[in-house]
Amino acid sequence: MRPKAVIIGPPGSGKTTIGGALAERLGVALRDTDADVERAAGKPIGEIFIDDGEERFRELERAAVAAALAEHEGVVALGGGAILAAETQQALAGQTVVYLRVGLSEAIKRVGLASARPLLVLNPRSQMRKLLEERLPVYERLGTVQVDTDGREPADVVDEIITALGDA
């Protein structure tokens, strides 16, 4: 048992939106590991960061990703930083991993500068640039399917993913 597709990408790339639309088109369920983390902790991610720290969040995230990859046959959307964990990178080997590419300007527009995202609190534009630079090589290495999302409608992105999955 393994997911039909695992969606990765930075904040603002559309993982939840595209993942949901892709799952619907494939006739399967979407499992969002950020939602799994919030359910396990009993509070929003922002509160986990504040109350328990990033290390605890990452611990919960690794567990949520491992469970989703082992148990879910539909589409799995990972949190933007989940791919930084070595265990997650290893678990993604052999999976169909869809990397949603997004440019800095588009990501900022989608996320917004007054974001509740914990890693973007102080200086969102600078932090987003740093996150993209740090994570880009990992996203590119893990993505077996890579799709641009800038300036595109979700349906068009999903069409491209469906075509790529058919070729896989």
Side-chain angles (χ1 to χ4, degrees):
M1 177 191 329
R2 53 184 255 199
K4 296 217 179 298
V6 180
I7 311 294
I8 65 171
S13 62
K15 295 178 296 293
T16 302
T17 300
I18 299 300
L22 178 62
E24 188 174 314
R25 285 275 299 279
L26 294 174
V28 298
L30 170 68
R31 184 156 173 184
D32 185 324
T33 60
D34 279 350
D36 290 350
V37 167
E38 290 182 340
R39 206 169 13 265
K43 55 187 159 186
I45 288 172
E47 287 182 25
I48 299 169
F49 268 77
I50 292 166
D51 298 345
D52 309 312
E54 183 177 0
E55 188 174 319
R56 175 66 178 145
F57 167 74
R58 295 297 175 197
E59 183 181 301
L60 291 168
E61 182 177 57
R62 285 190 302 274
V65 170
L69 295 178
E71 302 165 0
H72 191 70
E73 293 181 296
V75 175
V76 176
L78 302 188
I83 49 85
L84 296 174
E87 305 95 312
T88 297
Q89 292 179 30
Q90 291 168 355
L92 290 173
Q95 301 278 352
T96 301
V97 179
V98 179
Y99 163 39
L100 300 179
R101 288 189 295 248
V102 64
L104 176 63
S105 295
E106 186 77 12
I108 295 278
K109 254 192 292 189
R110 293 178 186 172
V111 170
L113 294 179
S115 174
R117 296 172 191 246
L119 293 180
L120 301 179
V121 169
L122 297 176
N123 181 340
R125 182 173 291 278
S126 172
Q127 289 299 103
M128 180 68 85
R129 178 179 287 112
K130 183 177 175 239
L131 288 179
L132 288 172
E133 288 170 0
E134 175 188 353
R135 298 174 182 177
L136 185 65
V138 181
Y139 291 136
E140 289 178 342
R141 181 169 45 80
L142 295 174
T144 57
V145 173
Q146 301 188 19
V147 181
D148 290 312
T149 64
D150 284 9
R152 299 179 69 191
E153 292 297 319
D156 296 331
V157 174
V158 170
D159 287 344
E160 185 175 336
I161 294 169
I162 294 281
T163 299
L165 293 179
D167 295 341

